[in-house]
Amino acid sequence: MKIKSVRARVFEWKGKTVPPQGNFCSNAMDLVYSNTESMSTFRFHSWTVVEIETDDGIIGLGNVALAPKVAKAIIDEYLAPLVIGQDPWDYEYLWQRMYRATHAWGRKGVTMAAISAVDLAIWDILGKSVNKPVFKLLGGRTKEKIPCYYSKLYRTDLKEMQDEAQKFLDQGFKAFKMRFGYGPAHLQDGVRENLKSVEAIREVIGYDTDLMLECYMGWNLEYAKRMLPKLARFEPRWLEEPVIADDIDGYAELNAMNIIPISGGEHEFSLYGFKQLLDKKAVSVVQYDTNRVGGITAAHKINALCEAYSVPVIPHAGQMHNYHLTMSTLASPMAEYFPIFDVEVGNELFWYIFDGEPVADNGFLQLRDDVPGLGLTLKTEYLDQFHIID
Ligand SMILES: O=C(O)[C@H](O)[C@H](O)[C@@H](O)CO
Ligand SMILES: [Mg+2]
């Protein structure tokens, strides 16, 4: 079996969107002077879909959400020629070809995300070629079903947030992630607002349910150090990305305070990046995303690394490419889950592009043994609401 063609298309959402409501999630731009458009860097309304076809007619599907147009250019110009004509079963060799050929200017960020998309499509082909779901090629079923946490709860009106939490508590979710709206720029008022929002959610979900707190890199080290003791009474399972991804020492310092476990990794790339985080004990929960970190070939290795360091892996965003790794890895106890919503931040766009995503049932997800590959197909229902760049 040989790879015949690689097609990367950008799906730009042109349909209805929910307008941003104030600062509904702190983020790295909050600390930059004159940031009137902080939320615009945070929302992403397009996605790159990669289809790789083999000479025996199998089509593998991959995807990448970071900087979609740039990712497409990297795939078209640099990655496609490296894999066309090759045997997809040589996936490690192909991964190394892509990684090393782009190393001088790639390594992390959008290049690694583009490599991820190609790698995902290759694994989809492998599964389809032997009629097995990808998780069966990675070690198989390590759990009967995957526990998942409800991920949304952006900072809006507190009553609205409470109603949202109640609705999904009633649907059986036993773990929730909420977002902070405020950071250092909002001074003491913002500190109070942040605490009020966590209190409001705990009021609804109680203390027998897990609660995770997301900063999305919108804080700095000094602010995070002040916040940790104040947040401890709410018993969060983790505090996510308190500082920017490059401040690994900052993560390590916060984690060493041993007040709240610190999580991160959704903006880290490659096996080496994760080794650094683990060596420094910078995170207590690893949250790579398979469509950024180097695809399944890289994520599978990172899982082994995390197992050896006894650090759990709870990948970013959920979605099929991550669920297969969660299912096949004992070190991965849970998945993130974005439900179907109107298009707002962008995570939910996955539902509009692909069919095959499992729907949570009572706080659990199931992967089927009888669906080969990654189990995704392109959805036709919303096609007319996308502008597609071929
Ligand atoms: O952890 C997450 O889910 C991410 O940080 C989200 O993708 C981001 O959009 C914040 O909601
Ligand atoms: Mg996050």
Side-chain angles (χ1 to χ4, degrees):
M1 178 168 63
K2 295 274 187 277
I3 292 174
K4 198 174 78 182
S5 64
V6 176
R7 182 186 199 193
R9 287 188 291 166
V10 180
F11 281 54
E12 287 185 319
W13 178 250
K14 295 292 168 204
K16 189 178 111 204
T17 58
V18 180
Q21 309 181 35
N23 204 15
F24 63 91
C25 187
S26 58
N27 67 85
M29 282 296 285
D30 290 352
L31 287 160
V32 181
Y33 170 68
S34 185
N35 89 73
T36 44
E37 282 301 311
S38 159
M39 281 295 117
S40 65
T41 63
F42 174 73
R43 303 167 92 216
F44 50 99
H45 289 167
S46 52
W47 217 288
T48 299
V49 174
V50 175
E51 288 152 287
I52 298 187
E53 189 170 357
T54 65
D55 53 5
D56 46 11
I58 298 177
I59 297 179
L61 265 187
N63 75 85
V64 51
L66 287 186
K69 286 184 190 159
V70 185
K72 171 180 163 50
I74 293 171
I75 294 166
D76 289 347
E77 177 84 18
Y78 296 98
L79 306 182
L82 295 170
V83 300
I84 289 174
Q86 304 291 328
D87 180 349
W89 280 104
D90 294 331
Y91 58 87
E92 170 67 12
Y93 163 72
L94 296 179
W95 192 93
Q96 294 291 351
R97 256 168 95 91
M98 294 189 282
Y99 175 59
R100 287 166 189 268
T102 56
H103 201 75
W105 47 270
R107 297 177 45 233
K108 294 193 175 196
V110 65
T111 310
M112 191 56 98
I115 291 174
S116 309
V118 174
D119 184 82
L120 286 173
I122 287 175
W123 277 90
D124 193 28
I125 290 171
L126 302 184
K128 285 172 176 164
S129 74
V130 293
N131 209 20
K132 295 258 179 226
V134 167
F135 72 87
K136 288 282 185 188
L137 308 184
L138 297 170
R141 191 176 278 277
T142 66
K143 32 190 93 58
E144 196 188 339
K145 48 191 178 174
I146 303 173
C148 63
Y149 71 87
Y150 173 79
S151 190
K152 209 171 169 278
L153 293 172
Y154 290 98
R155 176 59 201 256
T156 51
D157 167 69
L158 293 185
K159 178 71 179 70
E160 250 176 62
M161 287 179 82
Q162 285 185 316
D163 291 348
E164 184 188 337
Q166 185 64 58
K167 180 171 164 199
F168 289 90
L169 188 69
D170 294 345
Q171 287 186 19
F173 285 93
K174 289 152 201 79
F176 293 77
K177 185 160 88 189
M178 61 176 291
R179 274 81 183 167
F180 287 115
Y182 300 86
H186 305 100
L187 309 175
Q188 191 60 9
D189 263 6
V191 171
R192 296 269 166 261
E193 284 299 321
N194 279 340
L195 296 173
K196 266 202 269 173
S197 64
V198 185
E199 190 166 19
I201 297 302
R202 270 300 186 205
E203 215 176 277
V204 173
I205 67 172
Y207 281 80
D208 294 333
T209 302
D210 277 326
L211 179 61
M212 286 74 83
L213 309 175
E214 164 80 275
C215 311
Y216 202 72
M217 306 174 289
W219 293 359
N220 58 24
L221 186 57
E222 183 271 334
Y223 187 85
K225 278 158 94 172
R226 280 197 284 132
M227 288 301 287
L228 281 182
K230 296 183 203 296
L231 290 166
R233 70 185 167 98
F234 300 113
E235 299 176 23
R237 178 158 173 179
W238 71 67
L239 182 82
E240 182 163 332
E241 291 204 296
V243 295
I244 51 171
D246 277 337
D247 187 7
I248 295 180
D249 287 333
Y251 278 83
E253 193 173 334
L254 293 168
N255 212 23
M257 288 168 76
N258 261 324
I259 298 175
I260 301 171
I262 303 298
S263 74
E266 69 175 79
H267 299 101
E268 191 49 77
F269 303 84
S270 89
L271 187 60
Y272 293 96
F274 284 89
K275 182 174 184 307
Q276 248 182 316
L277 283 177
L278 293 165
D279 279 342
K280 293 207 167 191
K281 298 192 187 308
V283 290
S284 293
V285 179
V286 158
Q287 297 171 300
Y288 64 67
D289 195 320
T290 309
N291 77 358
R292 298 178 180 176
V293 83
I296 288 173
T297 302
H300 195 39
K301 295 177 189 176
I302 296 165
N303 283 349
L305 199 63
C306 291
E307 183 180 334
Y309 280 80
S310 293
V311 171
V313 182
I314 304 178
H316 169 245
Q319 301 166 352
M320 267 311 217
H321 39 270
N322 291 311
Y323 295 147
H324 284 270
L325 285 138
T326 300
M327 180 55 100
S328 59
T329 307
L330 202 62
S332 188
M334 180 165 71
E336 182 169 5
Y337 182 76
F338 283 103
I340 314 166
F341 266 92
D342 289 344
V343 178
E344 186 184 40
V345 170
N347 299 301
E348 59 289 323
L349 209 53
F350 204 81
W351 291 105
Y352 294 76
I353 301 173
F354 298 106
D355 266 326
E357 271 286 274
V359 176
D361 179 14
N362 209 22
F364 288 93
L365 294 164
Q366 190 52 283
L367 296 189
R368 288 172 54 175
D369 289 323
D370 59 345
V371 179
L374 290 169
L376 293 173
T377 53
L378 283 173
K379 208 182 199 109
T380 48
E381 197 180 336
Y382 299 101
L383 263 185
D384 60 336
Q385 296 189 56
F386 284 99
H387 170 232
I388 297 176
I389 306 169
D390 212 338

